[in-house]
Amino acid sequence: MHEQLEGIEGGGLYTHGYGEAVLASHRHRTAQNSAAHLLPHLEEGMRLLDVGSGAGTLTADLARIVGPSGVVALEVHEGAAAITRTELARQGLGEVEVRVGDAHRLPFEDDSFDVVHAHQVLQHLSDPVRALEQFRRVTRPAGIVAVRDSDYEGFRWWPELPSLERWLALYLRAARRNGGTPDAGRRLLAWAHEAGFEEVSPSASTWLHATPETRRGWASTCAGRLVVGPFAEQLEHEGWADADERAALAEGFRDWAEQREAWFVLLHGEIIARA
Ligand SMILES: C[S@@+](CC[C@H](N)C(=O)[O-])C[C@H]1O[C@@H](n2cnc3c(N)ncnc32)[C@H](O)[C@@H]1O
């Protein structure tokens, strides 16, 4: 499935799409490796909204902590909501409600949740401040808004390879053309202040791919996206990288992963904001 997000009010395109190369990587996400900043604040019985739930593994972990009956997952169209629903059912968490709606215009009453969580979502939105204002509106007074986003320009790797430099340059260009902000991580604090939050705790964390297994997984998802799906199609359509170049970049990524010294660290910004 390579649906994109055309026509969504205030939203652009979701650069990655929902192909297998994307989902295989997103399914490795856990509350421990992707929402550690939020975990100390969670208690059983809390009502939690997970905006942009996608592959759904993070939603599932959060639901096991607070209890599935208090969790709502939100996705921007039915195709993506179905992916979340399938994962939750697979994990025996069918009680979680999965809704369709836009982060820029949340379909919930004021003060509906104790916690609103969004992981790797704001970077894809054309108006992340408006989304944060919405998160604040639907969170009860003194409740928590927890956000984590990548800072692609803070990604660092070794050895230095022209093909990885080129991949990053192409990704930054595509994400920006789609209305996104690929260095969102470093802007979260500023955006939260702009959205009216007064008490905001910032933090940063990384994912590291430096073992044969994690390197291969990362190279496989990046290489896959260069060959099939919306990113590949966009590069072709815009005339930024033809099929031969994309195949060579994909090969470069896979070769990089086989090097014993290969290292790739992904920087993320995080905030915990009090409503
Ligand atoms: C990178 S994925 C992250 C998925 C999940 N949070 C995770 O970390 O595994 C971003 C998700 O945000 C969703 N999304 C994009 N724009 C959205 C919008 N305007 N409202 C709600 N969700 C949106 C996409 O459909 C996609 O599933």
Side-chain angles (χ1 to χ4, degrees):
M1 185 179 14
H2 300 134
E3 288 180 72
Q4 300 206 0
L5 304 180
E6 282 166 292
I8 289 167
E9 192 195 339
L13 302 173
Y14 175 44
T15 304
H16 300 296
Y18 307 91
E20 198 42 45
V22 177
L23 292 177
S25 148
H26 289 186
R27 286 191 195 107
H28 287 289
R29 296 178 183 171
T30 65
Q32 211 59 51
N33 70 27
S34 301
H37 61 305
L38 171 61
L39 293 182
H41 302 277
L42 294 182
E43 284 170 23
E44 196 175 344
M46 283 180 158
R47 233 179 116 60
L48 182 147
L49 171 66
D50 191 22
V51 179
S53 46
T57 54
L58 254 174
T59 321
D61 278 359
L62 299 176
R64 268 186 289 271
I65 297 169
V66 301
S69 61
V71 174
V72 180
L74 186 87
E75 259 299 344
V76 70
H77 55 60
E78 185 48 45
I83 292 169
T84 302
R85 237 178 247 123
T86 302
E87 180 61 24
L88 290 167
R90 193 184 71 77
Q91 298 202 28
L93 294 162
E95 255 184 279
V96 173
E97 187 186 351
V98 182
R99 297 268 301 266
V100 173
D102 183 355
H104 298 97
R105 240 167 58 146
L106 291 177
F108 305 105
E109 301 283 316
D110 295 0
D111 306 341
S112 296
F113 298 96
D114 301 299
V115 179
V116 174
H117 171 253
H119 183 252
Q120 312 292 6
V121 177
L122 292 195
Q123 65 190 278
H124 298 294
L125 303 182
S126 60
D127 194 344
V129 172
R130 181 168 159 201
L132 282 165
E133 286 166 356
Q134 288 286 297
F135 296 179
R136 184 159 168 256
R137 178 183 68 73
V138 304
T139 304
R140 67 159 169 81
I144 281 172
V145 171
V147 174
R148 183 172 190 255
D149 267 282
S150 297
D151 183 339
Y152 269 76
E153 288 182 281
F155 289 7
R156 287 288 180 265
W157 57 83
W158 185 259
E160 286 169 355
L161 284 184
S163 53
L164 269 66
E165 295 287 352
R166 174 78 173 139
W167 160 81
L168 181 60
L170 287 169
Y171 179 77
L172 294 173
R173 198 170 174 190
R176 288 184 176 126
R177 173 62 61 89
N178 293 339
T181 314
D183 62 355
R186 71 183 69 173
R187 300 173 188 241
L188 294 180
L189 188 58
W191 287 345
H193 289 155
E194 220 180 306
F197 289 97
E198 283 178 9
E199 195 185 324
V200 188
S201 305
S203 54
S205 63
T206 58
W207 287 329
L208 176 65
H209 302 307
T211 64
E213 192 193 341
T214 58
R215 285 196 297 255
R216 282 185 195 130
W218 178 237
S220 165
T221 189
C222 293
R225 294 173 205 201
L226 279 161
V227 179
V228 182
F231 180 44
E233 286 160 20
Q234 184 177 4
L235 297 183
E236 180 71 34
H237 174 76
E238 298 281 2
W240 293 340
D242 65 16
D244 287 347
E245 182 182 5
R246 288 184 279 112
L249 293 178
E251 195 56 32
F253 234 120
R254 292 189 198 279
D255 289 347
W256 163 85
E258 296 309 317
Q259 302 190 36
R260 280 182 67 210
E261 66 273 34
W263 173 283
F264 201 120
V265 67
L266 291 79
L267 178 64
H268 307 275
E270 303 159 340
I271 51 163
I272 296 288
R274 287 269 169 206

